[in-house]
Amino acid sequence: MHGYEGSKDDLLKRLRRAEGQVRGIARMVEEDKYCIDILTQVSAATKALENVALSLLSDHLSHCVAEATAEGGPVAEEKIREANEAIARLVRS
């Protein structure tokens, strides 16, 4: 079982909303809308995806990493390394 299992429906709802936002952005470009209005929508879609990422990260830390650290050893070290890399990717994006 994945750590996000309990929030799966919420994550899917957020992802569908972000997907709709991205389709709306494409439509705005097709319709030659004002640049600043498009950028505002890009920012909103980006924020929506960032919120999904943060939720997944939180679930991963509280479930997968917590279980691995309880076990200890190389499994724990690997999960912590994965989490650090995921955080670094989020910070860079």
Side-chain angles (χ1 to χ4, degrees):
M1 183 167 127
H2 296 290
Y4 60 83
E5 193 66 34
S7 59
K8 187 174 181 177
D9 289 340
D10 181 56
L11 288 170
L12 289 170
K13 184 171 38 171
R14 289 178 184 205
L15 287 167
R16 284 187 204 102
R17 192 175 312 128
E19 180 182 23
Q21 287 175 308
V22 171
R23 280 195 306 271
I25 293 166
R27 196 169 33 256
M28 290 176 79
V29 171
E30 288 171 353
E31 296 171 359
D32 297 319
K33 298 293 183 185
Y34 185 56
C35 299
I36 297 301
D37 293 339
I38 297 170
L39 289 170
T40 299
Q41 293 307 310
V42 168
S43 177
T46 300
K47 190 70 170 168
L49 288 174
E50 286 173 353
N51 285 335
V52 169
L54 289 173
S55 177
L56 285 167
L57 180 61
S58 176
D59 289 340
H60 181 67
L61 291 172
S62 62
H63 180 264
C64 302
V65 175
E67 275 187 11
T69 55
E71 286 181 34
V75 172
E77 291 172 14
E78 174 64 15
K79 291 294 181 188
I80 292 170
R81 184 192 59 74
E82 284 178 347
N84 281 328
E85 289 175 0
I87 293 166
R89 283 192 301 273
L90 286 173
V91 170
R92 283 192 297 262
S93 61

